[in-house]
Amino acid sequence: MCEKKTNQSEQNAKAGKLPAVSRDCADGFLPIKRTITSLVVIASSLCNYTILSAAAKMSATAVILMNVVITVIGVVWALFVNLRYGKLLARTEK
């Protein structure tokens, strides 16, 4: 029963992020909006499978460490994307 709640909360979290990523990426590449959306969904599925497969073979401590590393990579990537987007936006406003 507890696992079902965890799975459902994880699905709800993913459901909020995937459309946001698809929308933001598609806004940057309007001519190939459908292709970008497909690539985002495929990448999400591959990452989900890979991470879950890797976590199944790890100890609890290693899984937590992997989560920390993935989170740090995500934060750094988000900062990079936001800074780059700000520069591009400033350039187009000139």
Side-chain angles (χ1 to χ4, degrees), residues 4-76:
K4 189 172 186 179
K5 287 182 181 179
T6 303
N7 268 343
Q8 190 173 15
S9 66
E10 287 176 4
Q11 289 174 353
N12 290 342
K14 289 177 189 173
K17 293 175 189 170
L18 189 58
V21 169
S22 297
R23 182 194 63 235
D24 292 346
C25 287
D27 286 347
F29 302 97
L30 286 177
I32 55 171
K33 184 176 185 174
R34 291 184 187 134
T35 304
I36 293 296
T37 302
S38 297
L39 289 174
V40 167
V41 172
I42 291 168
S44 172
S45 297
L46 288 173
C47 288
N48 191 31
Y49 176 78
T50 304
I51 296 300
L52 290 177
S53 296
K57 298 175 183 175
M58 296 179 174
S59 67
T61 305
V63 171
I64 291 171
L65 181 61
M66 180 179 68
N67 283 336
V68 169
V69 170
I70 290 171
T71 301
V72 168
I73 291 169
V75 168
V76 169

